[in-house]
Amino acid sequence: MTNPLIPALDSDDREEVLRWAEALASEAGLLKVGLQAFVAHGPSLITEVAKLAPVFADLKLHDIPNTVAGAARVAAGLGASMVTVHASGGAAMVRAAAQSAPDVDVLAVTVLTSLAADDIQAVGQQPAERQVPQLAALAVEAGAAGIVCSAGEIEAVRAAVGPEPLIVVPGIRPAGAAADDQARTATPAAAMARGASHIVVGRPITQAADPVAAARSITASLRR
Ligand code: C5P
């Protein structure tokens, strides 16, 4: 089985991101470059990190289909292996991204793992248990290769999309770790047991005294 761990390299210090990337490349299935690093250092950083390991470009694209299609195509050209779009951008937007970047896995983000039930209600959305499988089915139907959701929704997403699509799960916290701003969390082993194909772990690795040891301990916890 390929390594399911995706460390999130969230920093705007280019040297720090590259240090983490070098140290964690052999401990991870992919390395995630997200908005903070991308806004700070842009396309060249994706290209640099992609020399070390496959890159999950977590750009969470959400715009009109033509704009998202263009951005997804450019991200693919930088060497990213996965790129994210927001499923709530609609089927036409997801389809445009998937069609314009056929060589990368376009993943659709459903509902952010930082949103708790009352936050979801406050922005006028359906509860996660209803909204997430609905968005997942729409996105996969439109050509997404996978879904990003919280651990609590994995089974419902799998039932909605069938066995093939990737299910990438952030909001992962090893037992005893601080939740930070995440609300819908699970341990690495619990998320994998529920059927995640990948787990995204940021601060519990990057803010650890020894990020490599933290990554190894997460991977080891999956074998127990
Ligand atoms: O530090 P932490 O483990 O909370 O980082 C989680 C990462 O996953 C962040 O980079 C965040 O942008 C990303 N993410 C998330 N929830 C989603 C999609 C992506 O937390 N629904």
Side-chain angles (χ1 to χ4, degrees):
M1 180 184 153
T2 55
N3 191 333
L5 180 61
I6 307 180
L9 311 180
D10 289 329
S11 170
D12 44 39
D13 178 340
R14 186 186 171 91
E15 297 315 311
E16 184 170 53
V17 171
L18 290 173
R19 231 180 9 255
W20 287 337
E22 275 163 27
L24 295 168
S26 55
E27 310 297 330
L30 297 99
L31 296 172
K32 185 169 98 71
V33 175
L35 284 177
Q36 184 181 359
F38 188 77
V39 169
H41 301 290
S44 72
L45 187 61
I46 291 188
T47 308
E48 278 296 298
V49 176
K51 291 178 189 159
L52 301 165
V55 170
F56 175 12
D58 190 14
L59 303 181
K60 295 197 179 66
L61 303 173
H62 192 173
D63 208 315
I64 62 171
N66 184 58
T67 302
V68 167
R73 176 177 48 75
V74 174
L78 300 174
S81 300
M82 291 180 179
V83 62
T84 50
V85 302
H86 271 288
S88 55
M93 191 206 79
V94 175
R95 188 171 300 111
Q99 287 177 349
S100 75
D103 298 333
V104 307
D105 288 333
V106 170
L107 302 184
V109 176
T110 52
V111 176
L112 295 173
T113 47
S114 55
L115 297 177
D118 53 343
D119 304 313
I120 293 171
Q121 193 183 20
V123 293
Q125 295 180 356
Q126 298 283 330
E129 59 271 22
R130 204 169 322 151
Q131 193 187 164
V132 171
Q134 182 180 340
L135 287 172
L138 171 150
V140 167
E141 176 73 16
I147 296 301
V148 181
C149 65
S150 88
E153 295 124 22
I154 295 171
E155 291 94 337
V157 166
R158 188 54 80 200
V161 300
E164 286 297 318
L166 302 172
I167 299 184
V168 177
V169 179
I172 298 296
R173 289 293 179 267
D180 304 309
D181 56 351
Q182 296 286 12
R184 304 189 339 272
T185 62
T187 65
M192 293 304 294
R194 290 176 133 182
S197 61
H198 297 83
I199 50 173
V200 174
V201 188
R203 287 161 288 184
I205 292 177
T206 57
Q207 302 310 306
D210 182 346
V212 171
R216 284 186 185 156
S217 128
I218 289 170
T219 311
S221 76
L222 304 178
R223 290 194 286 264
R224 267 179 229 131

